Amino acid sequence: MTSLSLARGVRRKSRRGATGGSGAFYAFISPWLIGTVLLTLFPLGYALWISFTNWDGISPSQNWIGLENYADALAEPQMWASLQRTGLLAVAIVPLTICGGLGLALLLNEKVRWRSGLRMLVYLPAIVPPVAATLTWKLLFDRDSGAINGFLAIFGADAVSWMTGNMVFVVLLVVMLWGIGAGVLINLAALQDVPTELHEAARLDGANAFAAFWHVTLPSISPVLLFQVITTTIGVLQTFVPALLLSPATGPAAITAVPEANRIFMVDVYAQYFAYSRYGYASAMLWLFFLAVLVVTIITFKVSGRTVFYAVDPSEEGKQK
Amino acid sequence: MSKAGEITKGVIDAWLAEHPDVPITLIEDDPTRLNAMLAAGTPPDLVRGLGATSTANIASRGLALDLDPYLAKSSVLKESELAKINDVWRWDGTRQGEGAHFGLVKDWSQDAMFWYNVNAFKEAGIPLPTADKPLRYDQLLEYSAPMTKRGGGKVEQYGLFTTAPTIEAISAMVATTSGRVFNDDLSKVDFTSPEAMRALQWFIDVAKAKTGYTLLDPNPDGWDWPPFDAKRIAMAAAGYWFGGAVAQNPKTAEFARLAPAPMLGSKRVSPATSATGHWISAKSNMKDEAYAFLEWYSAGAPAKTRAQSGWGLPAVTSLATELPQSQPYQSEALAVQKNEEQYLQVISFSPYAQTTAVSAAIANLFPRAVDGSLSAGQFADQTTTAVNDLLKQGMELAGKKG
């Protein structure tokens, strides 16, 4: 009896402890939870509701039109064209950012003179506000007074109309690659975390520099690379501000003046919302895009399962505890 | 909601000195934010807007307050004192320019007029435009070629002002042929009429001739003052208000002159496509206070100061004498403007779509018309369809059959 009471007492105490712990847990995460509900889940749900209407954003009436906006979006060549441009942007930017960032990080990880200064120089563009950087590039690429054409003129080349036609897409690529230093910093941190004994072991086994990089360094930093692939992909797919700032017009007219080559998905969505007042249609576009990004992310995770190596197997981590 | 450069701290301080119990919180003019505020049902009390293109839209949706009862009882501003331009803020339910006032003009100009560089015209041996004999659009294109100077692939000077096939510009051009782009009930457009086709063809020809900034070769400065001031364009698309900018540079004031609106057809029409002003939200909780500020700002001391600066024409007739005339370009511009006013006409825009949306639909197809992948006829057809789809959607929301 005594032992039973004791056992019950322990169990009760344990339950109280657990309750108190979970209370503290929820108290600590409540700001985030409240923020998520109010600023993410509610807008998502509201956008979902709007996507089934033909609301124009200011009219008092909202007519329920079912899946019409989704059908219109899927049948709209302009939407597919903007999606294609966004895909092209991602295909160009993601590998260049990841590989370029890794390459620069490998160089800056070597013991060279003025290494700290060089690291700072590479990272500096990443802390320049994107708006300032984009507008600066816009001036540099100006056909008649830009420095880029000024430089080309030294070699007798004719001025290039960078801000029109397909060339403006090149400018967008340059603007987006300008901030590559942020990836360099992450890669540098990952490289410095690779155990030196692994490299020593590889060297003893006769591995050359490339083999050591391929079989030791790359697997070791692969989780960091996966993180960058996913965040960079999502970031590139959501690109909006640089494309808008490269528009020849300013103010409210800017969105509709974005050159066709730069009419990526988010530009199209924004234009549908605020230039064409098609709130329902634009919301449907966003939901379709959300699903597409979700699929891309899942595929990336699935594919990465065979190529990413963890020091601790994430699936085993919980069991060890 | 307005611009901090217009409702300045000085203006707010002057207002507060007279009305300490009516404070002002300025929200910077932002159409996106306005949309969000309207959607949330909490619009600003007073909103900046372009009367020429927004009146039908805001009035027909019940967003703007009918100002006629206020005008009727006001001891400060009588309806008879309003310049004719304020008619663009009127809407009778079917037509713009008639009915109740839904806003008041701040300053205005006849926006199809243009400024030109006298020296560039003289160097090219082109006769100067006069107040009573406006140029034709085909003449503008012809004259712009010899004034366009290139070197090493760069453009040193364009002959023509910046052009874009906006609904405002096309409507203004078609009006000079006695035609219209919108139908009677403003529910449809037709760009396939011979008059509208001529206007579209002119924009295509300009883009192909490359004698001015276009949608395909955009003006990097966003407006014509910087390149005109730097002599990189020989003409600038702007009405009388541009004189305020010219006043900033004495050297530019020597060569800048104002010309009447060009003509596509044979009828002189010189519309105002902006007529910037303010409207009061129908949902405002401070309607009386908002109106008091509106009439003070549009016709009181701030309006007098603005008239003296030359940044536009005043909204009330009594302030016309305040316009600057001390410099030759100012007196000449005023003479041209006074003659031009007789051709002022209100052009109705549809309440079922915003002009930015309509112009964007045209701009979307324009590059293909220039590169030849669409004929002018196909461009007109497809633009008509695209814009009519927009209008149909707006009509459905308004509870009307499209």
Side-chain angles (χ1 to χ4, degrees), chain B residues 170-257:
Chain B
I170 295 168
S171 297
M173 291 167 81
V174 171
T176 68
T177 67
S178 302
R180 279 191 309 176
V181 175
F182 286 98
N183 64 354
D184 283 345
D185 65 359
L186 307 172
S187 64
K188 282 183 179 167
V189 292
D190 182 11
F191 294 112
T192 63
S193 68
E195 298 83 15
M197 287 276 290
R198 276 176 64 196
L200 292 179
Q201 187 63 56
W202 185 81
F203 285 107
I204 295 169
D205 291 344
V206 168
K208 283 181 177 172
K210 297 181 179 175
T211 56
Y213 290 119
T214 64
L215 289 179
L216 303 183
D217 178 16
N219 180 347
D221 296 297
W223 66 308
D224 278 356
W225 168 249
F228 185 75
D229 186 42
K231 299 180 190 172
R232 285 190 282 116
I233 53 175
M235 297 181 233
Y240 179 85
W241 66 271
F242 202 70
V246 174
Q248 296 171 348
N249 188 345
K251 287 184 179 174
T252 305
E254 287 174 15
F255 65 72
R257 293 294 181 271

Side-chain angles (χ1 to χ4, degrees), chain A residues 4 114 116 139 163 227 238 243 245 300 311-312:
Chain A
L4 183 63
W114 305 307
S116 301
L139 290 174
M163 303 308 294
F227 165 76
Q238 293 177 343
L245 291 174
T300 308
V312 178

Side-chain angles (χ1 to χ4, degrees), chain B residues 187-190 383-393:
Chain B
S187 64
K188 282 183 179 167
V189 292
D190 182 11
T383 303
T384 301
T385 305
V387 174
N388 283 339
D389 283 349
L390 277 175
L391 294 170
K392 185 182 170 195
Q393 186 198 338

